[in-house]
Amino acid sequence: MAALDGLSQMLSGLAFAGFACVALWLFLRPRVRMAALIPAPRLLALAAGSSALWAAAMMAFTPGAPQAVLVQALRDLAMLAWLGTTFWPPDAPMSRPLRLILTMLWTICVLTLLLGAAAFWRGGAAAEPWMGPTLTFAAMVVATGGLVIVDAGTRHGARLRMPVMAVAGGFAMLWAYQLNVELIGALTGKKASTLIALIPAVALLTIPTYVVAAMDVGRERMRLSRPAATRTLVLLGVAAYLILIALTVAIARAAGGDYAELAQAISLIALLGAAALMIASARSRAWLSVMISKHFFEHRYDYRAEWMRFTATLAQGAQGHGDGDDRNLYRRVARALAELTGSPGALLMTPGAGGGFRIAEQWHWPGDIAEDATLSLRSAFMLQETQHIVELDAERRGPEGQDLAIPAWLLADNRAWVAVPLLHFQRMIAIAVLHRPAVSRALDWEDLDVLRIAGQQAASYIAESQSQQALSEARRFDEFNRRFAFIMHDIKNLASQIGLLARNAERHADNPAFRADMTQTLKISAGRLSDLLVRLAPRGRGSSAEPGRVLIEPILKEVAAEARPRRELFVGCQAGLAAWADPDSLRRIVGHLVANAIDASNADLPVQVVAVVERGRVRIDVIDQGCGMTREFIRDELFKPFASTKDNGFGLGAFEALQLVEAMNGAIEVVSEPGKGSNFTLWLPLADAHDGAAMDAQMMKAGRT
């Protein structure tokens, strides 16, 4: 024991000499140079000087003595002052909870110094029996609070140089060591003499951080990761729990009786109950996560980790790896957005073949979804134009801003929390509906920014997938064109054969045998031509002209005139109605819809074409009372290429019409029931709105120039 005391005294002397030299060196360094390297150089020198006094007190009274603990309060006060000034300069003020903690620690240090100095001044060594536990308890509280300040400071001051962060780490090492020493003593009932004697050695390990911080090295930044910071908080929580147990046991021992064992049993039961609650209840874990993120972290999201996980989820299965769910892009998108916000499930809605957005996929959404759960084109247009992320609880409370026409089925489902539009170059690719998390909360600016950027990233993946599908269809068209070339070659051969037959007929027309052969040849050629016509498809869509201002009424009258030999049309058009479109493409689209309506209805049933303005867009309805179509056919086959219900159809008309209208930034909506007819609605941009937007853009450009 004497040898250990001698070693401790020697280490205290070395610590005193080291801190004294460092403090003197820091005071003598040029102020301008020090100010460029350290935010508060004089306070760092003061911290080194107070540490030298503390080391001198340990050398004179041994480590752990009340006199050394009293001087330690002066050291802690200087260290806290440097931490507060360094990590929270005037341009980056400290949050209110941290300011309260720091003020409380400063107050404890000052009171400890004043009361301890007064007690020793009046009572001398006689004050030690009651002052020792008081000073020790105050030092434990300051050490615990100091660790909290260091943790918050290292996350807030990531802009600082690494050596400056290392000084704060040295402070944390001192406080953590002393806190553990005192906790061991409180739990065991006797002082950890060996560990107390080695406190000067721990102090010696922190001296190099002062030197390196004052040198022009280590300009790299350092930031604790969120998992490391969370573990630090957990350790601090464990330390606080141990302190509470130690205090409870100490009070129970002072009271006498069997209260100490009872206090230990109650504390253990409380700990096991809290642990079981956190393990068994997902809601409790979610609540704890929200509270930690809200009160201990500057930002709600660990952006680096969340973005890596989000991107990995989207890319999972893209190369053919993983199970069936992983290969489903829509499900991966729903899962990635849900995991980003802690939602237990999500729905993904994509444009439906009959108009509007329909549920294409879901991830862990409890219960069944109604088949008619759709989002109308009107709502989709509003979301696309405003790019608004909809907090559905706000919509349920009533219209507080712009009416987004959210469907009733979505508002009635309280599980639905947020609707996120997935935009790709101002075009809405899909809509994600997120399930309400276990601990519901209102969205803030950080949630909105994250969801907006994540939605754009997910939309780019979906757009790329759709481009791949379009490329596959283009390859099918290429194969069709090659087949068309083969057919043209056969037609050329037939034409040559018929031409030769016509030339021979001029010389052998009177020969009965030749006439019989000619008749048979013509029948065979006609049959072959009929077979070739069955194999032919409509001519491919050429490149459309640039869109412009187009009056709707003249085009409707032209279509009605062309269809008059087959059926008289009822045409109604709002006066002066104009769309921003390609006139040839529009004529082909309306003509195709009218022809389909005539084919689908009896000769005595009317076909109507009506054009009006609705919600800032041109709406053209082609209405018939014919045979109608099933929902399955509209959803799965109507707008797919090479699919047709006609015996001699090629399945390219509706597909071509949809491609043409989408190229003009429009849409087609279909409402139909078997036996009740069909209503094809064509939506196009309004020419007046487009002209106004173009004029505003020109005025803004002129203002900038």
Side-chain angles (χ1 to χ4, degrees):
M1 191 65 180
L4 183 61
D5 293 339
L7 176 62
S8 178
Q9 189 173 15
M10 181 185 67
L11 292 175
S12 300
L14 292 175
F16 168 71
F19 279 115
C21 293
V22 167
L24 182 61
W25 180 66
L26 291 176
F27 273 112
L28 296 178
R29 292 275 288 170
R31 291 189 177 183
V32 177
R33 187 59 183 162
M34 288 291 291
L37 296 174
I38 306 174
R42 295 306 180 190
L43 286 178
L44 184 63
L46 183 61
S50 60
S51 298
L53 294 177
W54 170 61
M58 289 192 296
M59 183 175 59
F61 300 102
T62 70
Q67 294 84 349
V69 177
L70 179 63
V71 180
Q72 180 180 317
L74 178 63
R75 181 210 67 180
D76 292 340
L77 185 62
M79 290 163 57
L80 291 171
W82 181 84
L83 288 173
T85 306
T86 299
F87 291 106
W88 290 277
D91 58 341
M94 183 183 297
S95 64
R96 186 175 180 181
L98 285 176
R99 190 185 306 115
L100 180 63
I101 293 174
L102 190 59
T103 303
M104 180 191 69
L105 297 179
W106 283 340
T107 303
I108 292 175
C109 290
V110 171
L111 290 177
T112 300
L113 284 171
L114 295 178
L115 296 178
F120 283 110
W121 177 266
R122 295 180 59 185
E128 292 184 11
W130 64 271
M131 279 302 299
T134 303
L135 294 175
T136 300
F137 175 73
M140 290 174 63
V141 173
V142 172
T144 304
L147 291 175
V148 174
I149 296 298
V150 170
D151 175 71
T154 52
R155 288 185 290 103
H156 184 268
R159 67 190 185 282
L160 299 175
R161 296 165 52 239
M162 185 180 294
V164 176
M165 308 286 276
V167 175
F171 292 171
M173 182 174 65
L174 270 176
W175 280 324
Y177 185 86
Q178 293 175 346
L179 182 61
N180 280 278
V181 168
E182 299 300 336
L183 285 175
I184 291 174
L187 293 175
T188 59
K190 55 183 179 180
K191 292 185 176 181
S193 302
T194 304
L195 296 179
I196 293 175
L198 294 177
I199 290 178
V202 179
L204 279 172
L205 296 177
T206 65
I207 292 178
T209 62
Y210 291 82
V211 178
V212 177
M215 299 176 65
D216 192 11
V217 294
R219 293 192 175 273
E220 300 84 359
R221 297 178 180 180
M222 182 179 69
R223 175 181 295 177
L224 284 178
S225 65
R226 185 170 288 239
T230 303
R231 293 188 183 99
T232 302
L233 290 175
V234 172
L235 291 176
L236 291 175
V238 173
Y241 173 76
L242 294 177
I243 292 175
L244 180 62
I245 290 180
L247 293 176
T248 304
V249 173
I251 294 173
R253 285 175 179 169
D258 297 331
Y259 295 109
E261 295 182 0
L262 178 62
Q264 289 178 344
I266 293 175
S267 301
L268 181 59
I269 292 174
L271 176 62
L272 293 177
L277 182 64
M278 290 301 168
I279 294 175
S281 174
R283 183 178 180 86
S284 299
R285 294 194 301 271
W287 175 85
L288 181 62
S289 177
V290 169
M291 290 298 103
I292 291 177
S293 298
K294 181 178 180 181
H295 297 291
F296 289 96
F297 294 107
E298 183 180 2
H299 298 288
R300 184 187 303 278
Y301 298 94
D302 185 354
Y303 292 102
R304 175 181 174 275
E306 293 292 349
W307 201 251
M308 290 179 65
R309 183 176 65 176
F310 181 81
T311 306
T313 302
L314 291 180
Q316 187 178 9
Q319 303 298 328
H321 304 293
D323 54 19
D325 289 348
D326 291 337
R327 297 182 184 180
N328 188 325
L329 176 60
Y330 289 162
R331 182 166 296 185
R332 296 202 309 271
V333 169
R335 173 187 174 185
L337 291 171
E339 290 179 342
L340 188 64
T341 56
S343 299
L347 300 175
L348 192 73
M349 307 180 70
T350 58
F357 280 68
R358 299 179 180 274
I359 296 175
E361 193 54 74
Q362 60 88 18
W363 180 74
H364 290 179
W365 191 275
D368 298 329
I369 305 298
E371 184 179 354
D372 58 348
T374 61
L375 187 75
S376 67
L377 281 175
R378 299 177 181 87
S379 301
F381 291 150
M382 295 293 292
L383 290 178
Q384 178 174 302
E385 295 297 328
T386 61
Q387 302 182 11
H388 185 61
I389 296 175
V390 183
E391 188 175 2
L392 297 175
D393 286 341
E395 294 294 322
R396 295 185 182 102
R397 289 191 296 267
E400 299 178 359
Q402 192 171 14
D403 184 13
L404 299 175
I406 302 300
W409 70 267
L410 191 57
L411 294 178
D413 191 348
N414 287 324
R415 298 172 300 178
W417 180 45
V418 181
V420 184
L422 275 56
L423 300 170
H424 182 68
F425 292 111
Q426 310 304 317
R427 183 169 68 93
M428 191 159 64
I429 300 291
I431 300 171
V433 179
L434 303 182
H435 192 287
R436 188 181 305 276
V439 179
S440 184
R441 55 183 173 82
L443 297 181
D444 57 16
W445 64 268
E446 193 171 3
D447 294 309
L448 296 178
D449 287 346
V450 168
L451 287 174
R452 186 174 293 108
I453 296 174
Q456 293 174 359
Q457 178 75 0
S460 67
Y461 272 80
I462 297 176
E464 181 182 0
S465 175
Q466 293 176 349
S467 299
Q468 293 292 333
Q469 295 177 2
L471 179 61
S472 176
E473 292 179 354
R475 289 172 179 168
R476 295 180 63 186
F477 274 106
D478 183 61
E479 176 63 25
F480 169 78
N481 291 333
R482 286 196 296 270
R483 187 168 64 252
F484 182 84
F486 297 149
I487 294 174
M488 290 300 298
H489 180 267
D490 294 340
I491 293 176
K492 176 179 177 295
N493 293 336
L494 287 173
S496 300
Q497 183 178 359
I498 295 174
L500 179 62
L501 185 64
R503 290 192 298 271
N504 290 334
E506 296 177 355
R507 293 179 294 174
H508 307 289
D510 296 334
N511 188 344
F514 175 78
R515 289 199 301 268
D517 291 341
M518 182 179 66
T519 302
Q520 184 65 24
T521 302
L522 288 175
K523 289 182 179 180
I524 295 175
S525 299
R528 291 183 62 186
L529 283 173
S530 298
D531 293 339
L532 290 176
L533 289 175
V534 173
R535 294 165 55 193
L536 285 175
R539 59 188 178 90
R541 169 191 164 200
S543 58
S544 60
E546 290 293 327
R549 182 184 180 85
V550 179
L551 291 174
I552 301 299
E553 189 172 7
I555 291 181
L556 299 186
K557 289 182 178 180
E558 290 180 18
V559 173
E562 293 175 359
R564 190 170 293 115
R566 301 182 60 192
R567 185 76 56 86
E568 190 73 22
L569 301 182
F570 172 80
V571 177
C573 181
Q574 184 175 332
L577 181 60
W580 190 262
D582 168 32
D584 293 335
S585 298
L586 181 57
R587 189 179 297 107
R588 290 166 64 186
I589 295 170
V590 177
H592 177 76
L593 296 180
V594 168
N596 282 350
I598 294 174
D599 291 340
S601 56
N602 296 329
D604 58 340
L605 294 177
V607 174
Q608 306 175 53
V609 182
V610 182
V612 295
V613 174
E614 184 174 334
R615 289 187 175 269
R617 292 207 166 206
V618 174
R619 172 175 178 169
I620 303 175
D621 290 290
V622 179
I623 307 169
D624 67 76
Q625 299 178 16
C627 59
M629 297 172 288
T630 63
R631 292 184 179 182
E632 291 75 13
F633 178 80
I634 295 174
R635 183 182 65 243
D636 300 329
E637 298 184 30
L638 177 60
F639 293 105
K640 295 292 181 64
F642 311 110
S644 176
T645 57
K646 302 176 183 178
D647 295 337
N648 59 346
F650 308 116
L652 293 177
F655 175 77
E656 182 184 22
L658 183 61
Q659 298 297 310
L660 287 171
V661 72
E662 286 183 347
M664 295 184 292
N665 196 22
I668 296 179
E669 187 175 10
V670 183
V671 177
S672 180
E673 290 187 32
K676 296 184 179 180
S678 303
N679 182 2
F680 282 78
T681 302
L682 175 63
W683 297 89
L684 291 171
L686 187 64
D688 295 337
H690 190 280
D691 292 340
M695 184 177 296
D696 292 341
Q698 291 179 359
M699 293 179 63
M700 291 179 62
K701 183 177 180 181
R704 288 195 297 267
T705 57

